[in-house]
Amino acid sequence: MRVLLVGAGGVGTAVTRIAARRDFLTHMVVADYDLARAEAAVAALEQHGDRFSARRLDASDEDAVRRALTEENCDALLNATDPRFVMPLFNAALAAGTHYVDMAMSLSAPHATHPYERCGVKLGDAQFEQAGAWERSGRLALVGMGVEPGLSDVFARYAADELFDEIEEIGVRDGANLTVEGYDFAPSFSIWTTIEECLNPPVVYEKERGWFTTAPFSEPEIFDFPEGIGPVECVNVEHEEVLLIPRWVDARRVTFKYGLGDDFITKLKTLHELGLDATKKVTVPSENGPVAVSPRDVVAACLPDPATLGDRMTGKTCAGTWVKGTKDGSAREVYLYHVVDNEWSMRQYGSQAVVWQTAINPVIALELVAGGAWSAGGVLGPEALPPRPFLDLLTEYGSPWGLREEG
């Protein structure tokens, strides 16, 4: 399989290091707006010969991306950029007749008058509007195929297929005990994306009500994470799983809660109160005269690049799906999870735990598509496809998943 990878940041670079060890990949074009980043990712894989090449590409330029897919004779586009660039990349892949995989979906917009009660534009709405065109093309647009969303959705499908007869609630729960030496505030993932998902109105799904929203950081709960991470307070956050899982899995309620901590939440609220979470550009002075910049981009530029934090980071990160329901007439409750120790991911791949855990899942998905185990057309979430081949490959990649019976 020939793949155009767009985005050579932390996750994109981790993708290259994981994919380099798999035979299904015949060639990967690593593309980024900053050619030097793409070249650095490729240079680190020198021992893998000519299976990787670098290219400069503007992810916002749909025509340029389409041309790159055609010129490089690619079978698939893997989007490792932030959600702002989902739609031009998604559209370019459709136009070029290739498969498409992303880890975050098209952006949402709050309801104009009732933002904490009703959904406005939901995550992924713009992509699902084109489902018919993708079905006619015979190509697969696999959306939300990171770790969360992604592996968490695979867990939901697996639970529905093999562990439960009826599901009362599916709750994705994410927590960690990661610390970064030398920084008071150093998010382990893209701050641009973190602000987007944490400050937007969280979405909840209930079968009788459909999708609705709540206030940011609502419904706090203490969730006990496995493998020594322990209890972490989790709160409602906007996330793709809540928009994806109910489309293919029958459950009475679906939620997503993130273990953020009081300090992290306070800092995000402060950014919002100061207007520093805004994406609309403002004019500021510079040595060369006035320039227009996005406040959120300024925040991102002032913080350390998450991809560079691995050597200073210790601890583990856990992504997982808690499911409550019945099996054979008896109540059952389980937590399906995937834990990555930062020391292990740095030693094995040179990538910090959070970006590595995100990156492994689209690579597995591409291998399943290349081998035909995942064969479908249209705009689909991971829970629309057979879960067992994915989970078996995850273990084969050397990063097994776990199941904990609750109660």
Side-chain angles (χ1 to χ4, degrees), residues 361-404:
N361 298 287
V363 178
I364 292 173
L366 287 170
E367 182 162 348
L368 292 174
V369 172
W374 275 10
S375 178
V379 180
L380 301 178
E383 54 278 277
L385 297 160
R388 176 55 73 176
F390 189 99
L391 296 175
D392 288 346
L393 257 187
L394 179 62
T395 300
E396 183 184 309
Y397 273 51
S399 190
W401 55 283
L403 187 156
R404 182 179 71 186

mmCIF file of all heavy atoms in Angstrom, residues 361-404:
data_model
loop_
_atom_site.group_PDB
_atom_site.id
_atom_site.type_symbol
_atom_site.label_atom_id
_atom_site.label_comp_id
_atom_site.label_asym_id
_atom_site.label_seq_id
_atom_site.Cartn_x
_atom_site.Cartn_y
_atom_site.Cartn_z
ATOM 1 N N ASN A 361 -2.933 3.227 16.028
ATOM 2 C CA ASN A 361 -4.240 2.759 15.572
ATOM 3 C C ASN A 361 -4.525 3.003 14.094
ATOM 4 O O ASN A 361 -5.021 2.093 13.414
ATOM 5 C CB ASN A 361 -5.323 3.350 16.465
ATOM 6 C CG ASN A 361 -5.162 2.882 17.894
ATOM 7 O OD1 ASN A 361 -5.432 1.737 18.221
ATOM 8 N ND2 ASN A 361 -4.669 3.765 18.759
ATOM 9 N N PRO A 362 -4.232 4.185 13.518
ATOM 10 C CA PRO A 362 -4.438 4.317 12.077
ATOM 11 C C PRO A 362 -3.514 3.429 11.255
ATOM 12 O O PRO A 362 -3.878 3.014 10.150
ATOM 13 C CB PRO A 362 -4.173 5.806 11.814
ATOM 14 C CG PRO A 362 -3.386 6.291 12.976
ATOM 15 C CD PRO A 362 -3.856 5.470 14.138
ATOM 16 N N VAL A 363 -2.326 3.126 11.782
ATOM 17 C CA VAL A 363 -1.431 2.221 11.051
ATOM 18 C C VAL A 363 -2.049 0.819 10.997
ATOM 19 O O VAL A 363 -2.060 0.172 9.947
ATOM 20 C CB VAL A 363 -0.038 2.183 11.704
ATOM 21 C CG1 VAL A 363 0.872 1.201 10.947
ATOM 22 C CG2 VAL A 363 0.592 3.574 11.710
ATOM 23 N N ILE A 364 -2.585 0.351 12.122
ATOM 24 C CA ILE A 364 -3.263 -0.948 12.137
ATOM 25 C C ILE A 364 -4.441 -0.943 11.163
ATOM 26 O O ILE A 364 -4.649 -1.900 10.407
ATOM 27 C CB ILE A 364 -3.741 -1.286 13.560
ATOM 28 C CG1 ILE A 364 -2.539 -1.548 14.476
ATOM 29 C CG2 ILE A 364 -4.673 -2.503 13.551
ATOM 30 C CD1 ILE A 364 -2.896 -1.714 15.934
ATOM 31 N N ALA A 365 -5.215 0.150 11.175
ATOM 32 C CA ALA A 365 -6.365 0.243 10.273
ATOM 33 C C ALA A 365 -5.935 0.162 8.817
ATOM 34 O O ALA A 365 -6.567 -0.530 8.004
ATOM 35 C CB ALA A 365 -7.122 1.545 10.536
ATOM 36 N N LEU A 366 -4.868 0.860 8.458
ATOM 37 C CA LEU A 366 -4.380 0.814 7.078
ATOM 38 C C LEU A 366 -3.940 -0.597 6.702
ATOM 39 O O LEU A 366 -4.166 -1.052 5.578
ATOM 40 C CB LEU A 366 -3.221 1.800 6.899
ATOM 41 C CG LEU A 366 -3.597 3.279 6.864
ATOM 42 C CD1 LEU A 366 -2.344 4.144 6.921
ATOM 43 C CD2 LEU A 366 -4.412 3.612 5.609
ATOM 44 N N GLU A 367 -3.325 -1.310 7.639
ATOM 45 C CA GLU A 367 -2.914 -2.688 7.354
ATOM 46 C C GLU A 367 -4.130 -3.574 7.118
ATOM 47 O O GLU A 367 -4.118 -4.444 6.230
ATOM 48 C CB GLU A 367 -2.048 -3.240 8.486
ATOM 49 C CG GLU A 367 -1.557 -4.642 8.221
ATOM 50 C CD GLU A 367 -0.371 -5.066 9.082
ATOM 51 O OE1 GLU A 367 0.242 -4.198 9.739
ATOM 52 O OE2 GLU A 367 -0.053 -6.279 9.075
ATOM 53 N N LEU A 368 -5.198 -3.362 7.885
ATOM 54 C CA LEU A 368 -6.414 -4.148 7.695
ATOM 55 C C LEU A 368 -7.078 -3.833 6.356
ATOM 56 O O LEU A 368 -7.602 -4.728 5.686
ATOM 57 C CB LEU A 368 -7.388 -3.883 8.837
ATOM 58 C CG LEU A 368 -6.964 -4.403 10.216
ATOM 59 C CD1 LEU A 368 -7.947 -3.935 11.278
ATOM 60 C CD2 LEU A 368 -6.854 -5.918 10.225
ATOM 61 N N VAL A 369 -7.056 -2.566 5.956
ATOM 62 C CA VAL A 369 -7.605 -2.185 4.655
ATOM 63 C C VAL A 369 -6.753 -2.785 3.532
ATOM 64 O O VAL A 369 -7.271 -3.343 2.558
ATOM 65 C CB VAL A 369 -7.691 -0.652 4.522
ATOM 66 C CG1 VAL A 369 -8.071 -0.248 3.102
ATOM 67 C CG2 VAL A 369 -8.702 -0.081 5.521
ATOM 68 N N ALA A 370 -5.435 -2.698 3.681
ATOM 69 C CA ALA A 370 -4.534 -3.227 2.651
ATOM 70 C C ALA A 370 -4.713 -4.731 2.481
ATOM 71 O O ALA A 370 -4.643 -5.257 1.362
ATOM 72 C CB ALA A 370 -3.085 -2.907 3.016
ATOM 73 N N GLY A 371 -4.957 -5.442 3.578
ATOM 74 C CA GLY A 371 -5.092 -6.883 3.514
ATOM 75 C C GLY A 371 -6.497 -7.374 3.231
ATOM 76 O O GLY A 371 -6.711 -8.578 3.046
ATOM 77 N N GLY A 372 -7.471 -6.438 3.214
ATOM 78 C CA GLY A 372 -8.842 -6.808 2.903
ATOM 79 C C GLY A 372 -9.689 -7.219 4.090
ATOM 80 O O GLY A 372 -10.877 -7.510 3.932
ATOM 81 N N ALA A 373 -9.110 -7.265 5.306
ATOM 82 C CA ALA A 373 -9.893 -7.629 6.483
ATOM 83 C C ALA A 373 -10.934 -6.571 6.804
ATOM 84 O O ALA A 373 -12.002 -6.879 7.344
ATOM 85 C CB ALA A 373 -8.973 -7.855 7.682
ATOM 86 N N TRP A 374 -10.605 -5.325 6.510
ATOM 87 C CA TRP A 374 -11.565 -4.232 6.595
ATOM 88 C C TRP A 374 -11.853 -3.774 5.163
ATOM 89 O O TRP A 374 -11.048 -3.077 4.558
ATOM 90 C CB TRP A 374 -11.024 -3.077 7.437
ATOM 91 C CG TRP A 374 -11.254 -3.276 8.916
ATOM 92 C CD1 TRP A 374 -11.697 -4.408 9.525
ATOM 93 C CD2 TRP A 374 -11.055 -2.310 9.942
ATOM 94 N NE1 TRP A 374 -11.791 -4.207 10.883
ATOM 95 C CE2 TRP A 374 -11.417 -2.940 11.173
ATOM 96 C CE3 TRP A 374 -10.627 -0.990 9.961
ATOM 97 C CZ2 TRP A 374 -11.336 -2.275 12.406
ATOM 98 C CZ3 TRP A 374 -10.542 -0.331 11.182
ATOM 99 C CH2 TRP A 374 -10.905 -0.967 12.387
ATOM 100 N N SER A 375 -12.974 -4.202 4.643
ATOM 101 C CA SER A 375 -13.326 -3.908 3.255
ATOM 102 C C SER A 375 -14.716 -3.314 3.213
ATOM 103 O O SER A 375 -15.709 -4.002 3.485
ATOM 104 C CB SER A 375 -13.267 -5.190 2.417
ATOM 105 O OG SER A 375 -13.638 -4.939 1.088
ATOM 106 N N ALA A 376 -14.812 -2.043 2.901
ATOM 107 C CA ALA A 376 -16.108 -1.355 2.855
ATOM 108 C C ALA A 376 -15.927 -0.033 2.129
ATOM 109 O O ALA A 376 -14.810 0.435 1.929
ATOM 110 C CB ALA A 376 -16.644 -1.118 4.266
ATOM 111 N N GLY A 377 -17.058 0.552 1.722
ATOM 112 C CA GLY A 377 -17.043 1.869 1.114
ATOM 113 C C GLY A 377 -17.952 2.802 1.882
ATOM 114 O O GLY A 377 -18.870 2.358 2.579
ATOM 115 N N GLY A 378 -17.696 4.078 1.790
ATOM 116 C CA GLY A 378 -18.526 5.060 2.477
ATOM 117 C C GLY A 378 -17.775 5.743 3.597
ATOM 118 O O GLY A 378 -16.572 5.533 3.791
ATOM 119 N N VAL A 379 -18.491 6.586 4.340
ATOM 120 C CA VAL A 379 -17.936 7.280 5.495
ATOM 121 C C VAL A 379 -18.308 6.458 6.729
ATOM 122 O O VAL A 379 -19.474 6.389 7.111
ATOM 123 C CB VAL A 379 -18.477 8.709 5.612
ATOM 124 C CG1 VAL A 379 -17.890 9.415 6.835
ATOM 125 C CG2 VAL A 379 -18.165 9.511 4.342
ATOM 126 N N LEU A 380 -17.321 5.824 7.339
ATOM 127 C CA LEU A 380 -17.565 4.901 8.438
ATOM 128 C C LEU A 380 -16.688 5.225 9.639
ATOM 129 O O LEU A 380 -15.538 5.660 9.491
ATOM 130 C CB LEU A 380 -17.291 3.459 8.015
ATOM 131 C CG LEU A 380 -18.093 2.901 6.835
ATOM 132 C CD1 LEU A 380 -17.650 1.472 6.548
ATOM 133 C CD2 LEU A 380 -19.584 2.957 7.104
ATOM 134 N N GLY A 381 -17.229 4.985 10.836
ATOM 135 C CA GLY A 381 -16.427 5.005 12.038
ATOM 136 C C GLY A 381 -15.865 3.622 12.305
ATOM 137 O O GLY A 381 -16.300 2.626 11.709
ATOM 138 N N PRO A 382 -14.890 3.502 13.204
ATOM 139 C CA PRO A 382 -14.275 2.205 13.481
ATOM 140 C C PRO A 382 -15.258 1.155 13.965
ATOM 141 O O PRO A 382 -15.055 -0.045 13.709
ATOM 142 C CB PRO A 382 -13.250 2.529 14.574
ATOM 143 C CG PRO A 382 -12.976 3.995 14.414
ATOM 144 C CD PRO A 382 -14.253 4.599 13.958
ATOM 145 N N GLU A 383 -16.338 1.579 14.653
ATOM 146 C CA GLU A 383 -17.294 0.618 15.189
ATOM 147 C C GLU A 383 -18.181 0.014 14.108
ATOM 148 O O GLU A 383 -18.971 -0.903 14.396
ATOM 149 C CB GLU A 383 -18.159 1.247 16.283
ATOM 150 C CG GLU A 383 -18.879 2.502 15.895
ATOM 151 C CD GLU A 383 -18.001 3.722 15.979
ATOM 152 O OE1 GLU A 383 -17.860 4.272 17.068
ATOM 153 O OE2 GLU A 383 -17.451 4.153 14.943
ATOM 154 N N ALA A 384 -18.054 0.465 12.880
ATOM 155 C CA ALA A 384 -18.820 -0.104 11.769
ATOM 156 C C ALA A 384 -18.138 -1.329 11.172
ATOM 157 O O ALA A 384 -18.705 -1.979 10.300
ATOM 158 C CB ALA A 384 -19.024 0.949 10.683
ATOM 159 N N LEU A 385 -16.925 -1.656 11.656
ATOM 160 C CA LEU A 385 -16.114 -2.709 11.054
ATOM 161 C C LEU A 385 -15.789 -3.793 12.083
ATOM 162 O O LEU A 385 -15.858 -3.545 13.297
ATOM 163 C CB LEU A 385 -14.832 -2.091 10.488
ATOM 164 C CG LEU A 385 -15.092 -1.083 9.355
ATOM 165 C CD1 LEU A 385 -13.908 -0.156 9.170
ATOM 166 C CD2 LEU A 385 -15.414 -1.817 8.064
ATOM 167 N N PRO A 386 -15.427 -4.997 11.650
ATOM 168 C CA PRO A 386 -15.181 -6.098 12.590
ATOM 169 C C PRO A 386 -14.061 -5.764 13.576
ATOM 170 O O PRO A 386 -12.949 -5.410 13.160
ATOM 171 C CB PRO A 386 -14.788 -7.260 11.674
ATOM 172 C CG PRO A 386 -15.337 -6.918 10.338
ATOM 173 C CD PRO A 386 -15.292 -5.425 10.246
ATOM 174 N N PRO A 387 -14.304 -5.907 14.879
ATOM 175 C CA PRO A 387 -13.307 -5.499 15.875
ATOM 176 C C PRO A 387 -12.197 -6.517 16.113
ATOM 177 O O PRO A 387 -11.065 -6.133 16.441
ATOM 178 C CB PRO A 387 -14.139 -5.312 17.143
ATOM 179 C CG PRO A 387 -15.295 -6.246 16.988
ATOM 180 C CD PRO A 387 -15.597 -6.259 15.502
ATOM 181 N N ARG A 388 -12.509 -7.801 15.994
ATOM 182 C CA ARG A 388 -11.522 -8.813 16.366
ATOM 183 C C ARG A 388 -10.234 -8.729 15.550
ATOM 184 O O ARG A 388 -9.120 -8.818 16.140
ATOM 185 C CB ARG A 388 -12.149 -10.207 16.250
ATOM 186 C CG ARG A 388 -11.192 -11.351 16.516
ATOM 187 C CD ARG A 388 -10.501 -11.260 17.854
ATOM 188 N NE ARG A 388 -11.355 -11.569 18.983
ATOM 189 C CZ ARG A 388 -10.940 -11.633 20.236
ATOM 190 N NH1 ARG A 388 -9.673 -11.368 20.525
ATOM 191 N NH2 ARG A 388 -11.789 -11.933 21.209
ATOM 192 N N PRO A 389 -10.268 -8.564 14.210
ATOM 193 C CA PRO A 389 -8.995 -8.437 13.483
ATOM 194 C C PRO A 389 -8.140 -7.273 13.975
ATOM 195 O O PRO A 389 -6.912 -7.375 14.020
ATOM 196 C CB PRO A 389 -9.441 -8.226 12.027
ATOM 197 C CG PRO A 389 -10.800 -8.824 11.954
ATOM 198 C CD PRO A 389 -11.423 -8.564 13.283
ATOM 199 N N PHE A 390 -8.796 -6.182 14.345
ATOM 200 C CA PHE A 390 -8.048 -5.019 14.837
ATOM 201 C C PHE A 390 -7.376 -5.344 16.164
ATOM 202 O O PHE A 390 -6.177 -5.071 16.348
ATOM 203 C CB PHE A 390 -8.990 -3.820 15.001
ATOM 204 C CG PHE A 390 -8.271 -2.538 15.299
ATOM 205 C CD1 PHE A 390 -8.014 -1.617 14.288
ATOM 206 C CD2 PHE A 390 -7.826 -2.247 16.577
ATOM 207 C CE1 PHE A 390 -7.325 -0.444 14.559
ATOM 208 C CE2 PHE A 390 -7.145 -1.079 16.855
ATOM 209 C CZ PHE A 390 -6.891 -0.171 15.844
ATOM 210 N N LEU A 391 -8.129 -5.898 17.103
ATOM 211 C CA LEU A 391 -7.574 -6.173 18.423
ATOM 212 C C LEU A 391 -6.473 -7.227 18.356
ATOM 213 O O LEU A 391 -5.483 -7.151 19.100
ATOM 214 C CB LEU A 391 -8.696 -6.609 19.368
ATOM 215 C CG LEU A 391 -9.757 -5.531 19.647
ATOM 216 C CD1 LEU A 391 -10.886 -6.096 20.493
ATOM 217 C CD2 LEU A 391 -9.135 -4.310 20.319
ATOM 218 N N ASP A 392 -6.614 -8.191 17.464
ATOM 219 C CA ASP A 392 -5.559 -9.196 17.292
ATOM 220 C C ASP A 392 -4.273 -8.555 16.769
ATOM 221 O O ASP A 392 -3.165 -8.892 17.225
ATOM 222 C CB ASP A 392 -6.022 -10.292 16.334
ATOM 223 C CG ASP A 392 -7.075 -11.203 16.957
ATOM 224 O OD1 ASP A 392 -7.259 -11.157 18.191
ATOM 225 O OD2 ASP A 392 -7.733 -11.950 16.193
ATOM 226 N N LEU A 393 -4.418 -7.631 15.821
ATOM 227 C CA LEU A 393 -3.230 -6.959 15.281
ATOM 228 C C LEU A 393 -2.582 -6.050 16.314
ATOM 229 O O LEU A 393 -1.354 -5.922 16.369
ATOM 230 C CB LEU A 393 -3.594 -6.145 14.036
ATOM 231 C CG LEU A 393 -3.230 -6.727 12.669
ATOM 232 C CD1 LEU A 393 -3.497 -5.724 11.566
ATOM 233 C CD2 LEU A 393 -1.779 -7.184 12.615
ATOM 234 N N LEU A 394 -3.398 -5.386 17.136
ATOM 235 C CA LEU A 394 -2.855 -4.528 18.193
ATOM 236 C C LEU A 394 -1.930 -5.344 19.094
ATOM 237 O O LEU A 394 -0.828 -4.902 19.447
ATOM 238 C CB LEU A 394 -3.996 -3.912 19.006
ATOM 239 C CG LEU A 394 -3.607 -2.995 20.169
ATOM 240 C CD1 LEU A 394 -2.849 -1.776 19.677
ATOM 241 C CD2 LEU A 394 -4.853 -2.565 20.948
ATOM 242 N N THR A 395 -2.347 -6.546 19.445
ATOM 243 C CA THR A 395 -1.499 -7.423 20.250
ATOM 244 C C THR A 395 -0.264 -7.853 19.476
ATOM 245 O O THR A 395 0.849 -7.887 20.018
ATOM 246 C CB THR A 395 -2.302 -8.661 20.697
ATOM 247 O OG1 THR A 395 -3.425 -8.230 21.468
ATOM 248 C CG2 THR A 395 -1.440 -9.593 21.529
ATOM 249 N N GLU A 396 -0.448 -8.161 18.185
ATOM 250 C CA GLU A 396 0.696 -8.566 17.354
ATOM 251 C C GLU A 396 1.734 -7.448 17.237
ATOM 252 O O GLU A 396 2.932 -7.705 17.156
ATOM 253 C CB GLU A 396 0.207 -8.961 15.955
ATOM 254 C CG GLU A 396 1.305 -9.466 15.035
ATOM 255 C CD GLU A 396 0.821 -9.756 13.633
ATOM 256 O OE1 GLU A 396 -0.188 -10.476 13.511
ATOM 257 O OE2 GLU A 396 1.435 -9.263 12.663
ATOM 258 N N TYR A 397 1.263 -6.194 17.269
ATOM 259 C CA TYR A 397 2.182 -5.051 17.205
ATOM 260 C C TYR A 397 2.997 -4.892 18.489
ATOM 261 O O TYR A 397 3.863 -4.032 18.576
ATOM 262 C CB TYR A 397 1.384 -3.764 16.962
ATOM 263 C CG TYR A 397 1.107 -3.415 15.515
ATOM 264 C CD1 TYR A 397 0.551 -4.339 14.640
ATOM 265 C CD2 TYR A 397 1.372 -2.139 15.025
ATOM 266 C CE1 TYR A 397 0.270 -4.000 13.326
ATOM 267 C CE2 TYR A 397 1.092 -1.795 13.708
ATOM 268 C CZ TYR A 397 0.548 -2.727 12.861
ATOM 269 O OH TYR A 397 0.266 -2.390 11.562
ATOM 270 N N GLY A 398 2.695 -5.702 19.498
ATOM 271 C CA GLY A 398 3.458 -5.651 20.738
ATOM 272 C C GLY A 398 2.892 -4.734 21.795
ATOM 273 O O GLY A 398 3.589 -4.374 22.755
ATOM 274 N N SER A 399 1.603 -4.387 21.667
ATOM 275 C CA SER A 399 0.979 -3.482 22.630
ATOM 276 C C SER A 399 -0.413 -3.998 22.978
ATOM 277 O O SER A 399 -1.420 -3.493 22.496
ATOM 278 C CB SER A 399 0.900 -2.066 22.047
ATOM 279 O OG SER A 399 0.506 -1.132 23.031
ATOM 280 N N PRO A 400 -0.483 -5.022 23.832
ATOM 281 C CA PRO A 400 -1.768 -5.673 24.096
ATOM 282 C C PRO A 400 -2.760 -4.792 24.852
ATOM 283 O O PRO A 400 -2.385 -3.841 25.529
ATOM 284 C CB PRO A 400 -1.368 -6.886 24.935
ATOM 285 C CG PRO A 400 -0.066 -6.512 25.555
ATOM 286 C CD PRO A 400 0.634 -5.644 24.551
ATOM 287 N N TRP A 401 -4.033 -5.157 24.724
ATOM 288 C CA TRP A 401 -5.113 -4.449 25.394
ATOM 289 C C TRP A 401 -5.592 -5.305 26.566
ATOM 290 O O TRP A 401 -5.227 -6.474 26.689
ATOM 291 C CB TRP A 401 -6.259 -4.206 24.414
ATOM 292 C CG TRP A 401 -6.772 -5.449 23.744
ATOM 293 C CD1 TRP A 401 -6.182 -6.123 22.708
ATOM 294 C CD2 TRP A 401 -7.957 -6.176 24.078
ATOM 295 N NE1 TRP A 401 -6.936 -7.232 22.363
ATOM 296 C CE2 TRP A 401 -8.032 -7.294 23.190
ATOM 297 C CE3 TRP A 401 -8.978 -6.007 25.012
ATOM 298 C CZ2 TRP A 401 -9.072 -8.214 23.225
ATOM 299 C CZ3 TRP A 401 -10.027 -6.923 25.047
ATOM 300 C CH2 TRP A 401 -10.058 -8.000 24.166
ATOM 301 N N GLY A 402 -6.423 -4.691 27.428
ATOM 302 C CA GLY A 402 -6.879 -5.415 28.603
ATOM 303 C C GLY A 402 -8.374 -5.302 28.788
ATOM 304 O O GLY A 402 -9.044 -4.442 28.216
ATOM 305 N N LEU A 403 -8.923 -6.201 29.626
ATOM 306 C CA LEU A 403 -10.342 -6.200 29.983
ATOM 307 C C LEU A 403 -10.443 -6.409 31.489
ATOM 308 O O LEU A 403 -9.891 -7.382 32.018
ATOM 309 C CB LEU A 403 -11.089 -7.297 29.232
ATOM 310 C CG LEU A 403 -12.607 -7.327 29.364
ATOM 311 C CD1 LEU A 403 -13.220 -8.041 28.158
ATOM 312 C CD2 LEU A 403 -13.071 -8.050 30.643
ATOM 313 N N ARG A 404 -11.120 -5.487 32.159
ATOM 314 C CA ARG A 404 -11.312 -5.585 33.611
ATOM 315 C C ARG A 404 -12.793 -5.695 33.915
ATOM 316 O O ARG A 404 -13.579 -4.844 33.500
ATOM 317 C CB ARG A 404 -10.732 -4.342 34.293
ATOM 318 C CG ARG A 404 -10.826 -4.355 35.815
ATOM 319 C CD ARG A 404 -10.205 -3.100 36.407
ATOM 320 N NE ARG A 404 -11.021 -1.910 36.145
ATOM 321 C CZ ARG A 404 -10.649 -0.667 36.444
ATOM 322 N NH1 ARG A 404 -9.457 -0.443 36.984
ATOM 323 N NH2 ARG A 404 -11.438 0.361 36.183
#
